[in-house]
Amino acid sequence: MARSRSRWTPPLYSLLLSVVILGPLLGPGYLLLRDAVSTPRSYFTDSAWGIADAAARAVPQDAAIAALSTVFDGGLVVKAILLLALWLTGWGAAVMARTALPTAPLPALLVASTVAVWNPYVAERLLQGHWSLLVGYAALPWTVVAALAVRQGRSWWALAVCLAAAGLTPTGALLAATIALVVLALPGGARRGLRVVGALGLAAVASAPWLAATAVSGNGVEQADPAGWAAFAARAEPGLGTLGSLAGLGGIWNSDAVPGSRTGIFALMGTVLLLTVVAFGVRPLIRRRGNPVIVGLGVVALLAIAVPALAATGPGLAMARALGETVPGAGLLRDSQKWVALAMPIYALAAAAAFSRRHRPNPVQPTALSAVQRTRFGSAVAIVALLIALPDLAWGVGNSLRPVTYPASWQAVATELDGAAGDVAVLPAGMFRRFPYSGTAPVLDPAPRMLPLDVLQTGELIVAGGTVRGEGKRATDVQNAVLAGESADTIARMGVGWVLVENTTPGELGESERTLNPLDVVYSDEQLTLYRVPNPMIVESRPATVVVAAHLAWAILLLGGLAVGLLGRIRVRRTHQP
């Protein structure tokens, strides 16, 4: 009975935490907050494949959503994936603790789940709109469990699923691959060399979509804007400094994407509460220093905190800029705080270890039962402390995660463009918007995911009052031409067949009226105005066969691994049936 309770309580508890966090978002509507954009339907554009002008950052995420939204509502898909990610984070932390610490009782497993789900990293990435990064974060504890199974000579299917799921984004792929390779490369277990090579192969397939897209489009060879390293460096929170903020799993670069409780001195108190719970388990883990996996995860956690802290210093920024100038694709590393996710597995294990002393009732020594009760009480206190440390993570991170409803104008414009030729230029200039229906935070323009044609995007970001240059050279040229009031023939020769003006958001319009006045208005209302550019030059799409093949390989790795695991479980159950 106790074993059954230990197996089913953690997933139910993790699901409860996830619903408490995402509550407001689970109603009707769409996620539209900073970098997060969900739409009723997405399309297989060059941008979705990652072979447009800008770097392949949302690959294979956008193509996967485009595929799923042909059957299901795209907003529902994104919300389901996000809920699943948070649920699996907590459940995975409990399974990892039970696997690595066999004596961990149920209360200890619940503490591990709470540490993994209820922390500043989750809150800040939700507020920044990095829902797909949280899928990679969720994969980390499961990756530890799967890699431990491989070390014991068991099946590889679980590791394949973990790496593929994390590979929904490039960062997630790198996070999970790092954990997998560390666990598999450590001494002990079966066939050390073979398992490392196998993990590298699986990681390559999981990363194939963005690697292929980068190779085909050539965007990965562009130097990252030097201004981006300082703009995206980890940030010190009140009373903590950069190192303390990172140790508390906080410190995201955007000071606006932070829960209210982390903007004042309470950030110090919350961090102390979190680190106290973790610290109680450090000594029990040190006693297990003969276990190379625990040692390896501890070293990874220290580096995941120390390196981003060093990267935020003057010498660190200078080294980062030099890296960006010499290493293709190094811009992927510039949001250094996101790598703090690698500390989560050892934090969860330490929290569980603090309450993992096994007490056996003894009728001769009745105090043994009180020791069990003290462990349960201590676990409950730890969980309450973790919840208090970040009270406004509840209910949509202080009700910031609220679904929005798009005006019908978007669907009308999408219908108008269906099957048309030419790319779409958008006004006002820039990639971020403030619509009346999107709240006060800036949001990514939904047009690229809402419309069936490629929408030209410069990739330029406004960060902390400064500008970080994007990779979209052609999009920048088109934007400059429209703002300068160039003729319709000029932008038609640049491959533009349509200009969409988003009327309800502020932004730079320049002399665009001179470009727009001669054009035919195809659709217009209070929200959107769509202009047709006559005789656009059709820009040949880059060859995407290898990119499509890479996406298919990733999907097969994910779905094939799940199928193998499911069939294996069915076979085992049939074998054990009388």
Side-chain angles (χ1 to χ4, degrees):
M1 186 67 160
R3 184 176 180 181
S4 176
R5 187 167 60 248
S6 177
R7 182 173 298 276
W8 290 109
T9 302
L12 292 175
Y13 173 72
S14 300
L15 181 60
L16 174 62
L17 286 181
S18 304
V19 171
V20 169
I21 292 172
L22 297 180
L25 187 63
L26 302 181
Y30 299 88
L31 176 59
L32 185 64
L33 179 64
R34 294 190 174 89
D35 294 348
V37 179
S38 69
T39 57
R41 171 76 193 277
S42 297
Y43 300 87
F44 289 107
T45 60
D46 284 355
S47 297
W49 293 117
I51 56 173
D53 216 13
R57 293 190 180 92
V59 176
Q61 166 195 316
D62 283 354
I65 298 300
L68 291 171
S69 65
T70 60
V71 180
F72 308 102
D73 179 85
L76 183 61
V77 168
V78 169
K79 288 190 284 190
I81 292 175
L82 182 52
L83 178 62
L84 190 64
L86 292 187
W87 177 39
L88 290 176
T89 297
W91 185 10
V95 173
M96 176 183 65
R98 188 173 60 223
T99 304
L101 308 171
T103 61
L106 175 59
L109 303 184
L110 300 184
V111 176
S113 294
T114 310
V115 167
V117 175
W118 205 277
N119 62 61
Y121 188 91
V122 171
E124 293 172 358
R125 293 298 160 174
L126 283 173
L127 289 178
Q128 188 56 39
H130 290 173
W131 64 270
S132 52
L133 174 60
L134 291 176
V135 176
Y137 177 81
L140 296 182
W142 295 99
T143 300
V144 173
V145 174
L148 287 172
V150 172
R151 283 175 64 89
Q152 296 167 3
R154 285 150 56 191
S155 174
W156 286 74
W157 70 266
L159 185 60
V161 171
C162 290
L163 292 175
L168 189 65
T169 64
T171 298
L174 294 177
L175 288 172
T178 299
I179 290 293
L181 290 171
V182 166
V183 174
L184 294 175
L186 291 167
R191 300 181 178 182
R192 181 179 176 187
L194 179 61
R195 69 196 186 207
V196 169
V197 172
L200 285 171
L202 292 177
V205 177
S207 301
W210 65 271
L211 290 175
T214 300
V216 168
S217 65
N219 288 322
V221 299
E222 294 232 2
Q223 294 180 359
D225 186 351
W229 296 99
F232 288 102
R235 181 184 53 84
E237 294 178 325
L240 288 167
T242 306
L243 185 62
S245 301
L246 292 168
L249 303 183
I252 193 172
W253 56 270
N254 186 359
S255 60
D256 293 329
V258 175
S261 62
R262 304 291 295 185
T263 60
I265 198 62
F266 190 81
L268 174 60
M269 183 185 300
T271 299
V272 169
L273 289 173
L274 170 62
L275 293 182
T276 299
V277 172
V278 173
F280 274 119
V282 171
R283 187 175 178 183
L285 285 185
I286 291 176
R287 294 196 190 112
R288 299 171 180 266
R289 57 184 177 274
N291 185 331
V293 172
I294 290 178
V295 174
L297 292 176
V299 172
V300 168
L302 290 175
L303 291 175
I305 294 168
V307 172
L310 290 173
T313 64
L317 289 173
M319 291 179 61
R321 284 190 288 266
L323 181 71
E325 292 171 358
T326 56
V327 178
L332 183 64
L333 306 175
R334 64 187 181 184
D335 180 0
S336 56
Q337 190 268 349
K338 65 187 176 185
W339 306 105
V340 174
L342 294 169
M344 181 266 282
I346 200 66
Y347 273 40
L349 286 177
F355 305 97
S356 293
R357 297 182 182 88
R358 173 168 287 182
H359 305 284
R360 296 178 180 176
N362 188 330
V364 180
Q365 297 179 347
T367 56
L369 182 59
S370 65
V372 173
Q373 291 174 331
R374 286 199 300 271
T375 296
R376 291 173 178 171
F377 177 75
S379 300
V381 170
I383 290 173
V384 171
L386 291 167
L387 298 178
I388 291 175
L390 195 59
D392 44 357
L393 178 55
W395 206 245
V397 197
N399 207 30
S400 296
L401 290 174
R402 297 188 302 272
V404 306
T405 301
Y406 289 109
S409 313
W410 283 106
Q411 183 56 51
V413 170
T415 302
E416 189 68 42
L417 293 176
D418 193 20
D423 294 338
V424 182
V426 182
L427 289 170
M431 293 177 53
F432 285 86
R433 303 288 188 246
R434 277 191 170 92
F435 299 112
Y437 49 85
S438 64
T440 58
V443 299
L444 267 178
D445 189 352
R449 292 174 174 84
M450 187 77 76
L451 304 180
L453 299 181
D454 268 302
V455 176
L456 299 174
Q457 288 195 300
T458 64
E460 185 175 276
L461 303 175
I462 307 299
V463 182
T467 300
V468 177
R469 186 187 68 242
E471 309 86 356
K473 183 178 185 306
R474 175 170 164 251
T476 300
D477 292 341
V478 169
Q479 177 179 278
N480 292 339
V482 175
L483 293 178
E486 298 286 350
S487 68
D489 289 341
T490 298
I491 62 172
R493 288 194 296 269
M494 302 170 82
V496 177
W498 309 85
V499 179
L500 177 67
V501 181
E502 300 172 7
N503 300 319
T504 59
T505 180
E508 183 182 3
L509 295 173
E511 302 297 323
S512 58
E513 281 191 12
R514 296 201 315 234
T515 302
L516 300 177
N517 285 339
L519 302 180
D520 292 334
V521 176
V522 177
Y523 178 87
S524 183
D525 65 9
E526 181 183 348
Q527 300 288 333
L528 302 172
T529 303
L530 180 65
Y531 297 85
R532 187 199 308 273
V533 179
N535 304 317
M537 183 184 74
I538 304 303
V539 178
E540 287 190 17
S541 179
R542 298 181 180 93
T545 304
V546 65
V547 174
V548 175
H551 280 73
L552 288 175
W554 168 79
I556 290 171
L557 185 67
L558 176 63
L559 300 178
L562 288 172
V564 170
L566 180 61
L567 290 174
R569 287 186 176 275
I570 293 174
R571 191 179 299 112
V572 169
R573 287 186 178 182
R574 287 180 176 176
T575 302
H576 287 82
Q577 284 180 351

